[in-house]
Amino acid sequence: MHFSLSALCEHREPKMKLAAFLGCFMLAFAAVGARIQPREPGWTGSLLVVPMDGSHWTGVKAVAEEMGRRGHKVMVVIPEVSVLLGPSKHYTTRTFPVPYGKQQLDELQARNAEVMERKQLPLLEKISTRLSNMRKFVALQRATAESLLLNHELVDFLKKQNFDAVLTSPAVPTGAILAYNLSLPAVYMLRGLPCGLDSTATACPNPPSYIPRFFTNNSDRMSFRQRVLNVLVSIVEPLLCRLIYWSTEGVASRFLQRDVSVAEILRSGALWLLRYDFTLEFPKPLMPNMVLIGGINCAIKNPLSKEVEEFVKGSGEHGIVVFSLGSLVSSMPKKKAAIFFKAFSMIPQRVLWRYTGEIPDNVPENVKLMKWLPQNDLLGNPKAKAFITHGGTHGIYEGICHGVPMVMLPLFGDQDDNVHRVATRGVGVVLSIHDITTETLVDALNTVINDSSYRQRMEKLSAIHNDRPMQPLDLAVYWTEFVMRHKGADHLRPAAHDLNWLQYHSLDVIGFLLFIVLIVTLATFKCCALCWRRCCRKLQKRKRD
Amino acid sequence: MHFSLSALCEHREPKMKLAAFLGCFMLAFAAVGARIQPREPGWTGSLLVVPMDGSHWTGVKAVAEEMGRRGHKVMVVIPEVSVLLGPSKHYTTRTFPVPYGKQQLDELQARNAEVMERKQLPLLEKISTRLSNMRKFVALQRATAESLLLNHELVDFLKKQNFDAVLTSPAVPTGAILAYNLSLPAVYMLRGLPCGLDSTATACPNPPSYIPRFFTNNSDRMSFRQRVLNVLVSIVEPLLCRLIYWSTEGVASRFLQRDVSVAEILRSGALWLLRYDFTLEFPKPLMPNMVLIGGINCAIKNPLSKEVEEFVKGSGEHGIVVFSLGSLVSSMPKKKAAIFFKAFSMIPQRVLWRYTGEIPDNVPENVKLMKWLPQNDLLGNPKAKAFITHGGTHGIYEGICHGVPMVMLPLFGDQDDNVHRVATRGVGVVLSIHDITTETLVDALNTVINDSSYRQRMEKLSAIHNDRPMQPLDLAVYWTEFVMRHKGADHLRPAAHDLNWLQYHSLDVIGFLLFIVLIVTLATFKCCALCWRRCCRKLQKRKRD
């Protein structure tokens, strides 16, 4: 749209200022404006949700349900087989067939637990296992994307529903590709993209001098060595992006019937709901279409079941420890589990553990194993003294929200970076799942429970996190509704998207200015040289005369 | 603080991750944390307000009054003589003597109206008048700053009040200097600073490739020529800053008894309340401690007086035109005023005009001259058909908020940029106060009133502006309270503040990497050359043998 407009913009009426300014963006605005719906009390619209399986679903589900509660028509498109995705009374679901079964998903999930043993494997085997797991994960995502996007019947059906917007996780950009194809404004919910693609796609400045890159374990205050690493990683990032999204770009290009990059698709997103805030993240620039919703799940509270309530109450003054390694890892190798069981038998607290692995005979009395854990409700209980977590963003924000210090065991993905951020705030202790022993675990638990400085700092961090003008869930719903009402958020879209790399950094202008300076300097020098030579000649001539 | 911490950060315990991460920011956080007050319902604090005279007062006063209404102790420090500053039942005032009188202020204000005649003056006289006015304005600001900061009795008194925070306009940074001296967190309210100092002081990226500089009349989509101008202005900006704040820096250095720059002082600000949003401003990056409160005055509504109400009602289907040139210009040269009177006699609308100049005999019946105009209340009236404004931010946002198309007559300061932004949205017409004629004015009024596209676009712009999760006044009050509760907002402060220019742009790292590449290339080249030479020598030797 901007290209056709730019031609218009150059023909301005110089005669009178009356019409002079009207040319350029008026049409652009009218184009947006013509589709704007007035904001009426009780207005409801229709939302398409294309979620990603796993922990990403938690935040998306919360918004989908709340949108349904507020009377919007919400349709969630999910594969027939999934780990967590499922129906709710607040939205309708539309399933699509996939070429894999529950067993394959379970196998893949079981492999997540293998990460705990990986250090004991020889290096080559470790790398090959990791690559094989990654390949299987990518193949699964590709299969899911193909099953949705190349299902013409489903896509045609969705086209006819006249949705106002699409809510999706762009980490696996199937929903973003679908929104792009249906010409619907997209609302993205994410914590960040692994190769800095979120910065590229939002045109958000991302200086490597104080914004740590993923997987570097850097903070925002870096030594020279750390900054060198950060710059190197930021140089490699575009390549990493190509590798990660290679397969998806293939599917997208087949679906859209033209070559397309994931960056191009994500750039069309209307709004970015970011699952963080600056109690966890290091302060950095934001763009106008970024909305921070860190801690979105914290406000969703349910009462504990009678059995759990009694177990928690029975913990007395010592309180409880909540233990979960996230939605994707619920079991543990027997030997590793034994370390935890032994450590728990040595502390006075009661422990609630999400565990589906083999149960030994000698489970300590103070330990309750559960297949599913009401994590947020347990952390919100005043008896919660510590939280053993893998360091997923949802869990960490639940811990911060309720002010519970943490013992953190990062497994994969962004967890290592998350726990590093928590640790720099002095509200949690990081242990390595590979080297963990009964002693280090007991020490860590005793530290966060009995060293009052941890709880004090956590209470202060929690106070800052919870001191916000609006609940993150309400904010997410508000901005999703905004995008639906106005069919996008074009007034928040920076013009930077229309510039290429050279133009964005003004390198063409700087080159031009340097060229001018060079020309002027050369001309001046030449003139001076000419004058000098003439003077010399005259002097020589006079001398000769 | 960061310098002493950085030394600490380098000594990390490598043995176990338990303590490893705790070193660095824990103390920084504890230092903040120790001062944090819990958020209790009904908690009230005490706020010092150091306002700037003129239109800047409008937004600051709204927050000061609302803070008072919510039970906070609010003290406003104002000079004994001022144009607009004054008491209210919602706050206490503390005045300080100044070495100028009301007459001098009135004279300076009267000179603002002279801008309307300036084009008729010869160039040299025009420049000298402008410089003389600027000098007088700067001298007045300096005198006010000195009268406040060097008034030891007053400063000692303020020190003893134990304020929680300072609210001030940083455009004239007296309040910021005072907050810096009293070690109080400062909340700044502004629309922007003329030489990009707001970007420097917040470490906010400000690429000249798509963020137009003040006074250039550029939009966010620029031609190459416009981008060259924009880059040149951004190169000159630091020099402009030095010139503008030269005098203030002198006062600050005397007061703080050390050399200090205004940038250094402003950098210490906790929160920036920005009087714009992206219905007027072009989308650009923001920092975490920036809060957008464009349109802050719109919600403050009062009923019209009976007399005004009747005049408005009597306008029938044609409605009214609201006309004000802002708080600083209320009169007009006789000849110029005659153009307006004549134009108004030619339109069917009734006109309400803030005018304190000489009143001619033949004032048209449809014109009501008023010494003070309830601008926002009039614009909020459904009869309002057009708004003639000088293009101050407050007025423009009131127009956008109530959806009234504008005829704009920019006079000075940022007004030219503001009206340009409004015009690019196609919701207003710009006229030059110098070249204005009865015909162009009537044409412009008829265009915005009778060309329905103006009202339609304005309604859409207004819908976007008013579609926000929270009223800007509530947001401003919330964040001011936040800063008071937590004695700052250190968790929003980017680490970029601790880097110098070279480090921020990673130029030292890039230089180092280029050096390494150079060394490696040279070494490789040397090795190859050496090998080559040896081979050659051997070959030659063999040949000789």
Side-chain angles (χ1 to χ4, degrees), chain B residues 387-420:
Chain B
F387 177 30
I388 308 177
T389 171
H390 63 308
T393 354
H394 284 112
I396 281 187
Y397 274 111
E398 285 171 9
I400 292 176
C401 176
H402 299 298
V404 183
M406 304 176 215
V407 171
M408 298 168 291
L409 302 157
L411 300 177
F412 39 69
D414 61 349
Q415 294 160 13
D416 217 31
D417 282 289
N418 292 341
V419 303
H420 179 68

Side-chain angles (χ1 to χ4, degrees), chain A residues 89-320:
Chain A
K89 63 178 176 179
H90 299 295
Y91 53 75
T92 57
T93 47
R94 179 92 188 188
T95 55
F96 58 92
V98 281
Y100 50 83
K102 185 77 180 151
Q103 197 191 341
Q104 277 159 290
L105 278 190
D106 290 343
E107 271 171 28
L108 205 73
Q109 218 184 336
R111 281 172 177 265
N112 287 326
E114 284 173 16
V115 77
M116 302 182 202
E117 289 183 303
R118 205 159 290 160
K119 210 166 188 179
Q120 289 147 11
L121 297 174
L123 183 70
L124 272 181
E125 203 176 324
K126 220 165 79 182
I127 293 174
S128 88
T129 313
R130 188 166 283 193
L131 279 178
S132 148
N133 281 359
M134 174 70 90
R135 222 174 29 240
K136 280 190 180 152
F137 176 77
V138 169
L140 186 89
Q141 295 302 345
R142 188 193 169 100
T144 316
E146 279 177 340
S147 305
L148 169 53
L149 298 175
L150 305 181
N151 182 333
H152 301 298
E153 198 190 329
L154 176 61
V155 173
D156 282 345
F157 168 79
L158 295 175
K159 236 177 224 166
K160 285 178 195 148
Q161 302 303 303
N162 288 322
F163 291 109
D164 295 305
V166 176
L167 171 66
T168 187
S169 299
V172 171
T174 320
I177 298 165
L178 187 63
Y180 190 82
N181 175 255
L182 301 180
S183 301
L184 287 176
V187 177
Y188 300 144
M189 190 188 288
L190 67 161
R191 181 255 185 278
L193 296 176
C195 53
L197 193 60
D198 43 344
S199 303
T200 317
T202 51
C204 185
N206 193 21
S209 52
Y210 74 100
I211 304 178
R213 293 301 182 261
F214 266 125
F215 312 126
T216 58
N217 268 10
N218 284 340
S219 83
D220 57 347
R221 285 176 173 87
M222 295 173 246
S223 66
F224 183 76
R225 198 184 51 74
Q226 289 170 321
R227 284 200 293 118
V228 169
L229 173 68
N230 222 45
V231 168
L232 285 175
V233 172
S234 70
I235 290 171
V236 175
E237 272 181 339
L239 183 69
L240 196 66
C241 274
R242 297 292 301 176
L243 283 175
I244 293 175
Y245 290 110
W246 185 277
S247 161
T248 312
E249 280 177 358
V251 181
S253 299
R254 265 174 70 199
F255 176 56
L256 300 170
Q257 296 181 324
R258 68 177 183 87
D259 275 349
V260 72
S261 74
V262 169
E264 182 190 334
I265 287 166
L266 293 188
R267 220 172 261 140
S268 68
L271 209 94
W272 295 66
L273 301 173
L274 298 164
R275 282 193 286 102
Y276 60 74
D277 66 18
F278 296 107
T279 51
L280 180 67
E281 202 65 15
F282 299 113
K284 60 181 182 180
L286 298 169
M287 293 308 280
N289 60 351
M290 291 175 165
V291 177
L292 303 192
I293 54 155
I296 188 167
N297 290 88
C298 193
I300 305 163
K301 282 174 197 153
N302 293 301
L304 296 173
S305 72
K306 211 176 162 191
E307 186 198 346
V308 174
E309 176 81 45
E310 270 170 22
F311 184 78
V312 171
K313 261 192 184 164
S315 66
E317 58 170 330
H318 293 299
I320 58 163

